[in-house]
């Protein structure tokens, strides 16, 4: 969060203890911990809290996902909002657009990445914005929304459904929102774009990513793609900086978690950050002001941990 606190969102099923924790709020500076149980639905029934996304807006914690009853025909997603202390003080609202939540514009519009169809060779996705319905209303097709721009990734021709190539670049994983700007690496190329909500490209930043061609004789998992993606993760930090995970190719294989590029909102390269561990056993979740939050595995016990690391600038 902008004040330096860390919010951990747990995925819960309705078959678990209904009083299981949903939010865990930690203040690394003071050590203060707040544990928030999952809200319950109508008639005090437990809800599912899986496949939810988390974002911050106007000092509040916003959760978006689907915890409708299994036989519900209602489309879209639930939008829950808690205050900065984790208290759910208002009923949920809804949106009729399902997709990955990328962030929130200053006017409260939710920014999504959602499927927009297929071609013979690609999967098309749209970056769209929509206002959640007021509490108590059902979502409708007439809900105000806007498509900001579209992206496309390679489609796996071996499957009839919407399945991307296994190691094709995924733009929804390399996008974030800051103010009225969407920061995105839209393709496998080493290009970072700042796109205004009007669809206008504000700037483009490029960097040297070296030769990322898939070598001859590579494992079958990489069949169908010509080159490895230059990045697979992007975060807009609570400090306003943009952090882009750089992918390096070692012995013909892509390696994550070696280095992050740090850009200012003006597109200036502010620095390069080396992290203390490598994906998948070490996965960066968020950046704050001089700190990062990561999920890591204890090598001795195998237990998953959430850790906060401090870092400082050096010449």
């Amino acid at each position: 969060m902008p004040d330096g606190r860390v919010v951990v969102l747990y995925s819960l099923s309705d078959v678990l203890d209904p009083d299981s924790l949903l939010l865990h709020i930690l203040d690394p500076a003071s050590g203060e911990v707040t544990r928030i149980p999952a809200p319950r639905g109508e008639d005090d029934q437990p809800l599912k809290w899986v496949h939810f996304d988390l974002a911050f807006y106007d000092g509040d914690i916003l959760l978006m996902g689907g915890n409708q009853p299994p036989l519900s025909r209602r489309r879209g997603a639930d939008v829950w909002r808690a205050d900065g202390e984790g208290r759910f003080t208002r009923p949920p609202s809804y949106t009729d657009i399902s997709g990955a939540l990328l962030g929130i514009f200053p006017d409260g519009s939710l920014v999504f990445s959602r499927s927009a169809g297929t071609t013979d060779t690609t999967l098309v996705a749209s970056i769209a914005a929509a206002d959640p319905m007021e509490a108590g209303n059902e979502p409708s097709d007439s809900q105000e929304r806007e498509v900001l721009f579209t992206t496309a990734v390679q489609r796996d021709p071996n499957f009839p459904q919407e399945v991307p190539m296994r190691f094709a670049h995924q733009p929804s994983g390399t996008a974030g929102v800051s103010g009225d700007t969407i920061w995105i690496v839209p393709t496998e190329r080493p290009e970072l774009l700042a796109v205004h909500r009007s669809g206008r490209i504000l700037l483009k930043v490029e960097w040297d990513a070296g030769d990322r061609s898939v070598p001859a004789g590579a494992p079958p998992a990489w069949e169908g793609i010509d080159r490895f993606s230059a990045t697979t993760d992007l975060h807009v930090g609570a400090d306003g900086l943009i952090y882009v995970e750089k992918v390096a190719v070692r012995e013909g294989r892509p390696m994550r978690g070696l280095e992050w590029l740090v850009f200012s909102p003006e597109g200036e390269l502010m620095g390069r950050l080396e992290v203390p561990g490598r994906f998948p056993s070490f996965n960066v979740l968020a950046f704050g002001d001089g700190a990062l939050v990561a999920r890591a595995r204890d090598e001795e016990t195998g237990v998953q941990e959430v850790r906060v690391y401090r870092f400082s600038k050096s010449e």
Side-chain angles (χ1 to χ4, degrees), residues 266-277:
E266 293 73 36
E268 178 186 1
L269 179 62
M270 304 294 291
R272 300 172 183 267
L273 179 65
E274 296 181 3
V275 297

Side-chain angles (χ1 to χ4, degrees), residues 226-308:
D226 297 324
R227 55 186 173 184
F228 301 117
S229 179
T231 182
T232 57
D233 203 1
L234 178 152
H235 292 287
V236 176
D239 54 2
L241 300 178
I242 296 86
Y243 296 81
V244 177
E245 182 186 34
K246 188 177 179 181
V247 173
V249 179
R250 299 285 188 272
E251 298 180 355
R253 294 175 177 267
M255 299 290 292
R256 293 182 56 184
L258 301 175
E259 184 180 59
W260 289 74
L261 304 177
V262 186
F263 296 97
S264 71
E266 293 73 36
E268 178 186 1
L269 179 62
M270 304 294 291
R272 300 172 183 267
L273 179 65
E274 296 181 3
V275 297
R278 296 183 183 179
F279 183 86
S281 60
F282 187 96
N283 187 22
V284 175
L285 304 176
F287 288 93
D289 188 3
L292 66 85
V293 182
R295 182 178 66 243
R297 180 182 297 109
D298 185 282
E299 295 182 359
E300 295 183 358
T301 65
V303 174
Q304 293 280 350
E305 300 175 338
V306 175
R307 303 174 182 174
V308 179

Side-chain angles (χ1 to χ4, degrees), residues 27 42 73 91 96 115 150 237 245:
D27 187 343
E42 297 179 0
R73 295 184 178 180
D96 71 340
S115 174
T150 60
E245 182 186 34

Side-chain angles (χ1 to χ4, degrees), residues 15-49:
V15 301
L16 298 177
D17 181 351
D19 295 321
S20 296
L21 293 182
L22 179 67
L23 298 176
H24 191 154
I25 305 176
L26 169 68
D27 187 343
S30 66
E32 181 179 353
V33 175
T34 304
R35 296 176 175 87
I36 308 298
R40 303 180 71 132
E42 297 179 0
D43 301 324
D44 201 35
Q45 294 298 311
L47 298 171
K48 292 184 178 181
W49 293 89

Side-chain angles (χ1 to χ4, degrees), residues 56-241:
F56 301 108
Y57 173 70
D58 196 25
D60 287 350
I61 302 167
L62 188 140
L63 307 177
M64 191 201 80
N67 55 16
Q68 301 97 335
L71 298 179
S72 172
R73 295 184 178 180
R74 177 160 59 81
R75 297 172 301 163
D78 300 294
V79 180
W80 293 75
R81 187 168 171 178
D83 64 19
E85 303 304 319
R87 296 181 294 251
F88 291 87
T89 58
R90 64 184 75 183
S93 56
Y94 310 103
T95 176
D96 71 340
I97 299 179
S98 299
L101 179 65
L102 303 181
I104 306 174
F105 285 142
D107 66 359
S109 299
L110 308 175
V111 185
F112 300 83
S113 174
R114 61 170 186 155
S115 174
T118 64
T119 70
D120 291 340
T121 58
T122 62
L123 303 178
V124 181
S126 63
I127 308 297
D131 297 325
M133 300 291 290
E134 293 296 326
N137 292 332
E138 291 294 315
S140 69
D141 290 333
S142 62
Q143 181 182 346
E144 183 178 356
R145 54 184 159 179
E146 54 181 329
V147 174
L148 309 179
F149 58 94
T150 60
T151 63
V153 299
Q154 289 178 274
R155 173 178 173 271
D156 192 331
N158 297 315
F159 294 89
Q161 63 268 36
E162 296 182 359
V163 177
M165 300 300 299
R166 184 174 177 185
F167 284 94
H169 181 79
Q170 300 296 314
S172 62
T174 56
V177 177
S178 178
D180 283 316
T181 300
I182 300 169
W183 291 89
I184 185 169
V185 179
T187 72
E188 83 285 354
R189 295 173 58 84
E191 296 178 339
L192 171 66
L193 301 183
V195 185
H196 188 263
R197 65 179 301 171
S198 64
R200 179 168 56 92
I201 297 178
L202 302 176
L203 60 86
K204 179 173 72 172
V205 180
E206 300 176 298
W207 64 91
D208 182 8
D211 182 13
R212 294 169 290 106
S213 302
V214 176
W222 288 297
E223 288 183 357
I225 60 173
D226 297 324
R227 55 186 173 184
F228 301 117
S229 179
T231 182
T232 57
D233 203 1
L234 178 152
H235 292 287
V236 176
D239 54 2
L241 300 178

